[in-house]
């Protein structure tokens, strides 16, 4: 328990608790809408926001928020334009985001003070008090939005045509969902890393789906899996000096394998 004497560890665990409330909701909706790659795309684009912040010498969190929100709106627009080939928007924006990020990094005259590896793989010491407060605020906002709009979201997730027939503002809801996903990713990126932040959103929800039979139960189980995986991953990262994003992701993968094995065993016993 001596690790909790350090303030950066306390911040990391507080951030992990807030993330655990956010990602199961986003992850489940992304999976059910077949948009799992959206999180990966926005994570790659967030690097461009970090690089832009370094060049302009402003907080990378704020520059990333602006870039990711704009990118989210463009992705949703492209998804509507290429309705039958929605993967085009993902491929196009992923390539654009990485290209812009690499060009901005090469133009950064303060390269000595900028280590892109910290943002690629995450770092416990990168998370600030301000980002922890933002994560907590986002967690509360996410829970409130889910409680208020869970029925329209449920209809939109499973059938957009039915949602339109019911008079729901499908385009606006889709744009808001993409923007909220982008905001969550940009705030989580410092601790998890842009390469692995999408795993934090998708894997726990994919694990919860295997052992749940309802929308609400999947989110509750996803929150529990997130808490276990993130706290174990952060502890491993501190003990063995490994990247927190990779450590957390490995914990999630191990939980997924264990849950899948138990689920398969139960199915075999019932037969």
């Amino acid at each position: 328990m001596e690790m909790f004497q350090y303030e950066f560890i306390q911040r990391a665990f507080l951030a992990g608790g807030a993330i655990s409330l956010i990602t199961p909701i986003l992850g489940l909706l992304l999976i059910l809408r077949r948009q799992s790659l959206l999180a990966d795309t926005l994570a790659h684009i967030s690097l461009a926001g970090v690089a832009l912040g370094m060049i302009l010498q402003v907080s990378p969190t704020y520059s990333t928020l602006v870039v990711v929100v704009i990118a989210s709106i463009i992705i949703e627009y492209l998804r509507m334009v290429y309705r039958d080939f929605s993967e085009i928007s993902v491929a196009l924006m992923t390539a654009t985001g990485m290209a812009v990020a690499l060009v901005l990094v090469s133009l950064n005259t303060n390269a000595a003070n900028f280590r892109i590896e910290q943002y690629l793989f995450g770092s416990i010491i990168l998370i600030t008090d301000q980002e922890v407060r933002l994560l907590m605020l986002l967690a509360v906002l996410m829970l409130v939005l889910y409680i208020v709009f869970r029925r329209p979201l449920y209809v939109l997730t499973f059938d957009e045509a039915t949602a339109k027939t019911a008079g729901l503002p499908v385009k606006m809801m889709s744009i808001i969902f993409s923007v909220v996903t982008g905001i969550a990713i940009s705030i989580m990126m410092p601790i998890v890393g842009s390469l692995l932040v999408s795993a934090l959103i998708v894997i726990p929800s994919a694990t919860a789906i295997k052992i749940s039979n309802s929308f609400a139960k999947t989110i509750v189980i996803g929150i529990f899996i997130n808490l276990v995986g993130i706290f174990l991953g952060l502890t491993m990262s501190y003990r063995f000096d490994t990247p927190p994003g990779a450590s957390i992701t490995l914990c999630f993968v191990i939980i997924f394998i264990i849950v899948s094995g138990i689920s398969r065993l139960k199915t075999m016993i019932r037969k």
Side-chain angles (χ1 to χ4, degrees), residues 23-156:
T23 54
I25 300 172
L26 289 178
L28 181 59
L29 292 173
L30 284 171
I31 290 172
L32 294 178
R33 298 188 72 191
R34 302 181 187 279
Q35 287 185 298
S36 299
L37 288 177
L38 175 63
D40 196 46
T41 300
L42 291 173
H44 282 77
I45 292 171
S46 63
L47 274 179
V50 172
L52 181 64
M54 291 298 175
I55 287 180
L56 299 177
Q57 297 188 3
V58 299
S59 169
T61 300
Y62 295 127
S63 58
T64 304
L65 277 171
V66 173
V67 169
V68 170
V69 167
I70 294 172
S72 302
I73 296 171
I74 295 174
I75 289 172
E76 197 57 35
Y77 171 74
L78 290 173
R79 194 178 74 86
M80 293 175 185
V81 171
Y82 297 101
R83 187 173 297 278
D84 296 328
F85 307 97
S86 58
E87 69 276 8
I88 290 177
S89 63
V90 172
L92 181 64
M93 292 304 292
T94 301
T96 304
M98 284 303 295
V100 171
L102 292 174
V103 169
L104 291 177
V105 168
S106 69
L107 294 176
N108 183 16
T109 55
N110 296 316
N113 299 323
F114 176 58
R115 293 183 59 195
I116 195 168
E117 294 85 1
Q118 290 182 329
Y119 290 93
L120 284 173
F121 305 112
S123 172
I124 291 178
I125 61 173
L126 277 182
I127 194 82
T128 64
D129 288 331
Q130 189 181 40
E131 287 163 343
V132 172
R133 285 195 290 271
L134 279 174
L135 274 171
M136 289 182 169
L137 180 64
L138 184 62
V140 173
L141 180 65
M142 186 71 69
L143 288 175
V144 171
L145 286 175
Y146 170 69
I147 292 170
V148 174
F149 296 107
R150 64 182 185 280
R151 291 187 184 280
L153 277 173
Y154 188 84
V155 177
L156 177 67

